[in-house]
Amino acid sequence: MANKGISTGHIPLGELPDALTGLLTDFQHANFEARQQAVQRGAEVFKSTVEAVTPRDTGEMAQSWQIKTKYKDRRYVGNTRVASGDVRRKTKDGSKGEARSGVPLSNVLEYSDNPHDGFIRRCFDETEPQIFEAIKNTIKNGGK
């Protein structure tokens, strides 16, 4: 026996699954924009902080930080500046490896033996609470 007489307000019971699917899809799309704004705000917090602590010689590296938006729900803060000349990686035994050109300067400063060793990671670790606070507040305010 069909339940044609039963309804949930204005939606007949037989149409309820499709109505719920539509409602959840609309909710997901509405939240998508808020999520994108939230991760963007978090990335902006990190970008401004890492720019401020970037070692300065000419200042070009500090001005070369960018937020990459290639993937949904993710932001990558990277630097476009490359080291001048060839860079040699150390091998496992400590000797110098093959020379490479076009190595990102941020990698050289982050992973080589120099006074700036690990400055990007330290910056992120110190800024993490502010990044997540910016994300949380943006989501709470509907993406604004």
Side-chain angles (χ1 to χ4, degrees):
M1 178 182 255
N3 290 328
K4 292 183 181 180
I6 299 174
S7 73
T8 55
H10 301 289
I11 303 169
L13 188 59
E15 296 174 18
L16 187 59
D18 291 335
L20 283 173
T21 299
L23 181 65
L24 291 173
T25 300
D26 290 346
F27 179 74
Q28 184 178 19
H29 290 312
N31 282 327
F32 176 79
E33 291 303 322
R35 286 194 323 264
Q36 301 321 297
Q37 287 297 321
V39 293
Q40 183 67 27
R41 293 267 163 62
E44 289 167 0
V45 168
F46 178 65
K47 179 181 177 262
S48 66
T49 305
V50 77
E51 285 172 342
V53 301
T54 297
R56 301 247 189 305
D57 181 15
T58 64
E60 290 180 34
M61 182 177 173
Q63 297 169 2
S64 299
W65 290 101
Q66 294 181 348
I67 299 172
K68 299 174 186 176
T69 59
K70 184 176 179 179
Y71 302 103
K72 298 172 186 166
D73 295 332
R74 299 200 189 314
R75 295 295 183 271
Y76 294 97
V77 178
N79 198 290
T80 59
R81 188 90 174 125
V82 295
S84 59
D86 289 340
V87 175
R88 293 184 177 271
R89 293 176 57 181
K90 284 186 181 178
T91 60
K92 290 183 181 181
D93 65 6
S95 63
K96 290 188 175 185
E98 86 179 70
R100 295 183 180 187
S101 60
V103 175
L105 186 54
S106 58
N107 286 16
V108 173
L109 293 176
E110 186 73 2
Y111 300 111
S112 66
D113 296 330
N114 65 49
H116 309 296
D117 182 33
F119 86 95
I120 299 169
R121 181 76 224 182
R122 279 192 313 274
C123 178
F124 178 80
D125 290 343
E126 292 167 5
T127 312
E128 189 176 17
Q130 293 90 345
I131 294 169
F132 287 115
E133 188 67 22
I135 291 170
K136 184 176 79 174
N137 289 337
T138 304
I139 288 174
K140 195 184 293 184
N141 294 327
K144 297 177 182 173

